[in-house]
């Protein structure tokens, strides 16, 4: 058994029972973004969170233990994603990557926006011309220092 | 001559004269995100915008014409970016890609978040533990339809 | 169980029973192009469509539920397809890609032809020198806008 | 000198003089699709066509000779195109590739749709919800035969 | 079950029973080249051919049906083949590719040698310095036409 | 200066003067296949051959010396060729590769068909349904031996 | 002009004048590791540092300005490095990568060792069996947090 | 059975029983770094070490024998690692690779730092601004010699 | 069943019974290099050799038959090997490849050193500074000829 | 100027003057293998060796200095070499790689054959059936040690 097996079981159960990620998140008291990433095998659960997920998805004790092990991260099967929704995000990095780099450096100097001390919030924004997906990314700026 | 030559000249002039992207954006009356992408060879200028940029960066009439040609987009030299700042964005797509997909589908059904009918806003968020980079991405949801 | 398992079962049953995609499409009241893409794991079924496919291919309730889950899209095993029929399409993109880009931009300006708000129609065109495959692709033009 | 040099000169001249591909095509008496592919270094000109293009773009005799040499085809710099407009076409092949294969085989049996005995027609289709790009692809069906 | 399963069964049975491809071809009344390609999952059988192969290799009715389904072609596990015999053919394409292109264009003009309307014949040629493999490839020339 | 420079000069001169490969081959007294490969930078000339080519293409003494240096072989810019004519040959290796392997081993046992002790002959074969390209490949069989 | 040009000039001057990185570092009052990375185009100089480097390597004012621009980082020409010294480091990541991951997670929980808030120290360690390279890497631990 | 099966069993047992790598290392009397690498299938055990691991992880005699077989090394599934913790190490090689090369050559001349005659020590360094990961790498310098 | 299954069984049995490749080679009366390559699925056995190996490794008649089938060669899972021992050989080809090419051409003219009419001998060479691996490669020179 | 420029000048001069690597090696008093690798930009010269090469190839003082700088090694333009002579060496690694690994481990235990403390000797071996290339590789065995 490994973490992938647990992820697959969670997804299968979700499909069968028609569970919503948002509902899972509420039971855990965490954001739907972090909770979904956890269920998809990208984050690490505390023992209490693992127990709660165990109830929701009918996981054994061993499966709950796997949720507490730090996973090998990376959720995509290919370096350039083939799925159209995910590809659009890759395209944003490809087309706007140099722009993002220039503007963060112009504001903050040399360094990066952390992908670890990081959070994400995805919301529907109603719009008469067609609703929009609004995403807020927030990452700590980490400066390169001289030494 | 091609668009890359114009991009390189813009960047060279920016370094030499110490021009800020934000200042360029104000003169154009556009966001700093779109303006920078334009100057870096990813967007297309109107004749007026090209003329304005021509003044700021000392571009010839031919160079201004190239700014009005739709460019071959994609601003990164490798499929997986090596620059740490840009890589962190690639990592967000890699680690959170399946999460983003799940949550947008849960909210909107099958479809994508457009990377064309799209805007981006990058801001500094003061934080006593270390300032944060706040980025808002807004893309129209486009549904797959049956036919 | 996952969507691939359902796709494989559909294909196996199709081969065994000699079912035609066109016949499946008629029962669903959809185009043969969209219906085939659905059966091959690229589109998402409504509950009614899933039920109908369940009857045609002998799918369990669980398998019908998987048809209603948005799939991870991308139907080819390699970035450059090895199958001669599919490669010819890749070749069209490779040889005519820059031409398509130039002509759409000449007509519409900067933007893309949507692959989401999109439909496809494949027909036989009788021809004394050898029948032809006629394909009509229709995608909404989405303009890049300044912001 | 090689064909690429001629292609670059044609494109540069086009930008400088504001020439339209459609106008070039009319002067040649060919479709705009084939004419653009020729100018972008993918097709081969007859001596008369080369002479005509020579006048339009101010090409030397040597440059006109290069237009009559069969080029090494393939107009994209990477196997997976980074430009969003061209990528959408690659995505169509990726998502619908297996569907196209199934439906052509269902109609014609084993074989391919030729990318050589092939023509393409790109048109604007007015639509109140947003104009559409309509593309007709026509390729001769070539059957595999036993031997 | 899929076509690969049938291919593997055919190869296993061939090894176990010591069947020769040439003998199979004679029973089918086809060339050994086409017959082997069929058995290796690259070509499509008629119902009669499938039945005959069924007898030779002990295939079930379902397996015979799979032989009549157009396969996803491409018989090699990597883009650059590792097997020395097959690599030599790849090397011929690599070293002589530009030569082949030049000479076919010199004789026929712009177009291709078809790999679909195509046959291949492999023979031993006795030679006192060491026997030779003689291969005749015959493909219809397909011209690019203007339109 | 290197061999590529000489190859480019040969090709440029050929285009400008309208020289045929077959005519060059006759002057050298060699096959048109080997001669073309030599001119395209894949084979090595004797001093006499280099001198003859020097006359035909107006090469300096230094350029003639480069023709006598064994080149770094491989005439294609990408592992999977994008040019349609050359791709068809790659496709033959991809689709028929396992067949070729099986039939040569069935006839000769374990070993390879040499791509060094090798010759190639390309001819037009008149055919009322459309002329064909006929290619004869002849390579010495080299057996693996036990030791 | 770009940063690469400045890096190449620095390296050329270093070779010609026989300058040592350690000596450059002392003049800057920084570690030899950071200083070398700066000179090789991976770090960003302050105006004073750029001026100092300008004296050492004879850089123009424009070249000094480029040293103050945040560079596009990544100092290796291929994803898997071919140089034996650098490959050994890649091999350490390949062979020990999962070990490093396990042990940092065992000690710190889920998170990463920063490559930004990071320093490196390379020293010779005398050893009678052959001197050793001793490298100390120090990176801040950044925990993933729930949100 | 192969070494991977043994590695997976060790990891599964570790998760289920909550064993620490450091505790395993103490029982073996080796460093935690080498011990973890051994358990993850990168190093080779002596018969005594295999026996001890057999007790700790409940391995059969056959499984213990596999621990004594030199493994095919390389612990990562992709050339560029997707896991953020391991990627940071890859990034260090990418950004600092040329720096490391320059400084080792400046001190030692041409040669490499061995990744075989090599050891690694990972420690927590308390720091009020956030604890740090401290890693010491020690590798013998191996000079290239003339011959 | 296929050749890989037989290879895996041979390796498993070797580990379990503690068989040495050299001992297998002696029983076959062949070199240890060729014998090991045969057992690892790279060479083809005669019926007698297959029978002998059948006794040593407890192979069934069917498994012995597979040993007599010419295998698809290539023993490494990735184009650039990750295992340090094998990588060093790849590095020799990378660093010394152009040297090997120059020296063989200087001595023999244009052609190759055969990897088919080839043998290899690996020996320990005692050395007070540390024993050495001595490898002798012997391959027939095959000249390119004009035709 | 960089090391590549010096390498190209050396090769150009060699072609023009008809210098032999073996003659260069004799003047340096080193093996032809090491000397050729040095001239091709893979090894590092002492000041005396650089001076000697300066005389032979007419190098300036600056060019001689570049010969004394440790180069970025790796002499091939692609990971899988296209040149037939060099490919045969890659094929040996591919086909015999697992064999080499097994036999060195059987004799020496876990470790590698050094590619640094390494020498190579290439000789013609007369043979009535066709002369052979004989290559002796000698590399120190470096054991992995526990720690």
């Amino acid at each position: 058994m490994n973490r992938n097996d647990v992820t697959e079981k969670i997804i299968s159960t979700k499909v069968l029972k028609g569970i919503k990620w948002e509902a899972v998140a509420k039971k855990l008291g965490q954001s739907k973004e972090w909770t979904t990433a956890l269920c998809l095998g990208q984050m690490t659960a505390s023992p209490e969170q693992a127990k709660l997920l165990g109830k929701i998805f009918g996981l054994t004790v061993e499966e709950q233990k796997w949720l507490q092990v730090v996973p090998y991260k990376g959720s995509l099967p290919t370096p350039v994603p083939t799925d159209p929704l995910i590809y659009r995000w890759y395209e944003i990095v490809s087309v706007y990557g140099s722009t993002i780099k220039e503007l963060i450096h112009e504001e903050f100097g040399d360094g990066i926006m952390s992908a670890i001390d990081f959070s994400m919030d995805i919301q529907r924004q109603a719009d008469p011309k067609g609703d929009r997906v609004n995403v807020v990314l927030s990452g700590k700026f980490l400066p390169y220092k001289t030494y």
Side-chain angles (χ1 to χ4, degrees), chain A:
Chain A
M1 180 182 285
N2 57 36
R3 181 71 185 261
N4 281 348
D5 299 327
V6 183
T7 301
E8 284 184 18
K9 185 170 176 182
I10 287 178
I11 295 176
S12 272
T13 309
K14 177 183 180 296
V15 170
L16 252 180
K17 300 200 180 166
I19 300 167
K20 295 266 177 192
W21 296 121
E22 199 154 20
V24 179
K26 267 187 197 149
K27 288 195 185 154
L28 255 66
Q30 302 291 344
S31 69
K32 66 182 184 305
E33 289 76 15
W34 184 84
T35 304
T36 307
L38 170 64
C39 291
L40 295 178
Q42 303 298 314
M43 297 290 154
T44 311
S46 68
E48 297 71 33
Q49 292 166 335
K51 214 172 171 180
L52 267 164
L53 291 173
K55 277 191 197 158
I56 299 170
F57 294 107
L59 307 176
T60 65
V61 173
E62 188 178 358
E63 288 164 341
Q64 294 175 27
K65 281 198 176 158
W66 273 105
L67 288 173
Q68 304 170 48
V69 174
V70 182
Y72 191 94
K73 297 181 175 73
S75 67
L76 305 178
T78 49
V80 177
T82 62
D83 182 80
L85 186 141
I86 300 177
Y87 183 81
R88 296 307 179 275
W89 279 71
Y90 179 78
E91 186 176 297
I92 291 167
V93 176
S94 168
V95 171
Y96 281 98
S98 52
T99 294
I100 294 167
K101 181 174 170 65
E102 285 288 325
L103 291 175
I104 294 180
H105 292 327
E106 183 162 308
E107 177 64 35
F108 291 91
D110 197 354
I112 62 151
M113 167 181 156
S114 181
I116 308 296
D117 189 336
F118 169 84
S119 65
M120 168 184 271
D121 183 45
I122 302 175
Q123 298 292 347
R124 175 192 287 263
Q125 181 191 348
D127 189 313
K129 292 182 208 153
D131 285 4
R132 299 181 76 80
V133 186
N134 249 38
V135 184
V136 181
L137 308 174
S138 165
K140 190 176 176 182
F141 180 75
L142 302 179
Y144 273 101
K145 293 171 196 160
T146 61
Y147 56 89

